[in-house]
């Protein structure tokens, strides 16, 4: 058994216990949660309640979860760039081009396959322990829980916006200053693979500041307050500073004027969004000590920055 402890958010007041569990422990099936309620593995403020009992918000829920195989992917020998690892936590530096989760068109060769090869016990954790994701063509830091307790802690930190996530990105256009984009994001109404700023979408807040300006490009450091799919890419395109190489949100490729040979070559060959998850900070799920990691820019983004600087000499 693994004991997971969460506090019921006040906004869930009036909801049934089974509904609250389905929201707070979404990685487990409703039938599994119902079974655990009936077998008295769920306590609310120390009491055993029925699935239909309504909660007031603020209660402490203790769930005695039973580890079971929940990931059925095959292990594959794919190299991992491990930044940190102990008994409960794994931090990896994901290269651009590596898909995080298996899906249609990418059932093999993913980070999940690599993780199962690294540690077979991760098959008992939701999504092999992966708590958040970054896009296939985004590089950088990812956290993976190695136990149910760690998974619960990291998921709660994400929900409470306690995780530090900072990115480095190269945007098209010369920014005069940093700022904040506070615009809701939802699926695009006509293209289900894309997202867009849309009234009624999920709240999304992106902070950005200028690191280095070039004639027609800007290196920015971006800090996420929320974690919506494609958030940085959508928000930067919305304020008309799309990321270099973003073939989904960047519009038609245009070579900037007064572009030297080296810069032209780098821009033409840059086929992914220029986005790197550079910093990750969190409270350790066991010790509660704050940890922080940073990873420098990958080679392709570093080369592009050198070409941008060289073009201004």
């Amino acid at each position: 058994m693994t004991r997971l402890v969460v506090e019921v958010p006040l906004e869930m007041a009036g909801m049934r216990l089974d509904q609250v569990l389905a929201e707070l422990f979404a990685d487990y099936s409703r039938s599994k949660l119902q079974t655990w309620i009936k077998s008295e593995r769920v306590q609310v403020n120390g009491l055993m309640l029925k699935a239909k009992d309504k909660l007031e918000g603020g209660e402490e829920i203790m769930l005695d979860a039973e580890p079971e195989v929940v990931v059925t992917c095959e292990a594959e020998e794919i190299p991992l760039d491990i930044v940190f690892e102990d008994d409960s936590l794994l931090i990896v530096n994901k290269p651009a081009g590596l898909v995080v989760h298996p899906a249609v068109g990418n059932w093999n060769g993913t980070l999940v396959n690599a993780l199962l090869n690294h540690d077979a016990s991760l098959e008992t954790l939701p999504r092999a322990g992966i708590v958040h994701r970054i896009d296939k063509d985004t590089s950088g830091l990812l956290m993976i829980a190695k136990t149910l307790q760690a998974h619960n802690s990291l998921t709660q930190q994400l929900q409470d916006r306690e995780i530090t996530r900072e990115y480095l990105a190269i945007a098209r256009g010369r920014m005069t200053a940093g700022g904040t984009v506070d615009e809701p994001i939802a699926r695009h109404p006509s293209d289900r693979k894309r997202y867009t700023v849309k009234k009624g979408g999920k709240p999304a807040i992106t902070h950005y500041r200028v690191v280095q300006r070039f004639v027609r490009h800007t290196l920015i450091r971006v800090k996420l307050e929320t974690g919506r799919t494609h958030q940085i890419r959508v928000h930067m395109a919305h304020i008309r500073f799309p990321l270099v190489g973003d073939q989904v949100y960047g519009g038609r490729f245009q070579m900037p004027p007064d572009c030297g040979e080296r810069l032209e070559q780098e821009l033409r060959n840059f086929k992914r969004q220029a986005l790197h998850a550079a910093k990750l900070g969190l409270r350790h799920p066991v010790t509660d000590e704050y940890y922080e990691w940073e990873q420098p820019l990958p080679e392709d983004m570093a080369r592009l920055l050198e070409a941008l600087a060289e073009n201004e000499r």
Side-chain angles (χ1 to χ4, degrees):
M1 296 294 176
T2 300
R3 174 156 291 184
L4 307 178
V5 181
V6 296
E7 182 177 308
V8 179
L10 294 176
E11 56 265 29
M12 289 188 177
M15 293 176 62
R16 292 161 45 120
L17 173 60
D18 55 356
Q19 294 172 328
V20 170
L21 291 179
E23 290 281 339
L24 298 180
F25 300 99
D27 292 313
Y28 298 103
S29 68
R30 287 177 180 263
S31 60
K32 175 64 70 176
L33 292 169
Q34 290 277 4
T35 299
W36 286 341
I37 294 172
K38 292 176 182 177
S39 60
E40 298 188 340
R41 292 186 184 176
V42 179
Q43 296 181 41
V44 181
N45 286 344
L47 302 175
M48 305 295 182
L49 302 184
K50 295 180 180 179
K52 65 181 181 181
D53 289 339
K54 293 185 178 181
L55 305 185
E56 298 178 353
E59 296 95 337
E60 180 185 77
I61 291 181
M62 290 195 299
L63 168 64
D64 289 325
E66 183 179 4
E68 60 179 345
V69 174
V70 292
V71 178
T72 57
C73 299
E74 292 187 5
E76 294 182 48
E77 196 168 340
I78 300 169
L80 285 174
D81 183 2
I82 296 174
V83 178
F84 173 87
E85 183 174 18
D86 64 11
D87 291 339
S88 59
L89 184 64
L90 177 64
I91 308 295
V92 300
N93 182 30
K94 186 190 85 68
L98 180 65
V99 175
V100 175
H101 295 289
V104 176
N106 291 288
W107 292 115
N108 300 302
T110 71
L111 179 61
V112 168
N113 300 106
L115 289 171
L116 292 176
N117 180 71
H118 176 71
D119 186 346
S121 69
L122 293 175
E123 69 179 2
T124 65
L125 297 176
R127 301 180 182 88
I130 298 171
V131 180
H132 67 129
R133 69 174 70 192
I134 54 180
D135 298 334
K136 171 187 174 183
D137 290 325
T138 298
S139 57
L141 294 164
L142 266 176
M143 58 183 172
I144 296 98
K146 295 178 66 178
T147 66
L148 278 172
Q149 297 100 318
H151 190 274
N152 185 53
S153 170
L154 296 176
T155 300
Q156 191 68 49
Q157 289 182 56
L158 267 180
Q159 291 175 350
D160 295 340
R161 300 184 182 181
E162 295 177 350
I163 302 289
T164 299
R165 287 176 293 169
E166 292 188 9
Y167 293 73
L168 288 170
I170 304 174
R172 285 170 24 207
R174 182 181 173 91
M175 292 184 180
T176 56
T180 295
V181 184
D182 185 354
E183 296 286 354
I185 290 177
R187 281 194 184 273
H188 195 280
S190 59
D191 185 349
R192 301 297 291 173
K193 293 183 179 179
R194 298 177 61 196
Y195 291 79
T196 187
V197 167
K198 185 179 179 182
K199 186 177 180 180
K202 293 182 179 180
I205 302 173
T206 304
H207 307 283
Y208 64 96
R209 63 180 176 86
V210 173
V211 178
Q212 189 174 4
R213 295 183 186 87
F214 302 95
V215 175
R216 292 181 176 84
H217 296 85
T218 309
L219 173 65
I220 56 175
R221 182 171 285 272
V222 183
K223 186 172 183 179
L224 289 181
E225 191 168 320
T226 56
R228 308 304 174 198
T229 302
H230 298 177
Q231 178 173 320
I232 295 173
R233 299 163 62 191
V234 171
H235 273 172
M236 289 301 105
H238 178 70
I239 62 172
R240 302 185 187 279
F241 289 99
L243 303 189
V244 170
D246 194 333
Q247 299 180 45
V248 176
Y249 301 103
R252 187 170 62 87
F253 174 77
Q254 290 182 311
M255 188 62 64
D258 305 320
C259 189
E261 182 178 344
R262 182 185 177 190
L263 179 56
E264 179 176 344
Q265 182 180 3
E266 290 294 338
L267 288 172
R268 289 192 185 281
N269 291 336
F270 209 96
K271 301 298 185 183
R272 71 171 183 103
Q273 61 269 9
L275 184 61
H276 175 66
K279 180 186 287 188
L280 178 65
L282 53 87
R283 287 185 294 102
H284 192 278
V286 175
T287 67
D288 207 41
E289 182 181 354
Y290 183 75
Y291 280 69
E292 195 170 86
W293 300 270
E294 284 198 62
Q295 283 293 299
L297 285 173
E299 186 179 346
D300 60 348
M301 287 182 68
R303 283 200 316 268
L304 178 55
L305 285 179
E306 289 175 1
L308 286 166
E310 181 183 285
N311 199 65
E312 300 197 358
R313 297 190 189 118

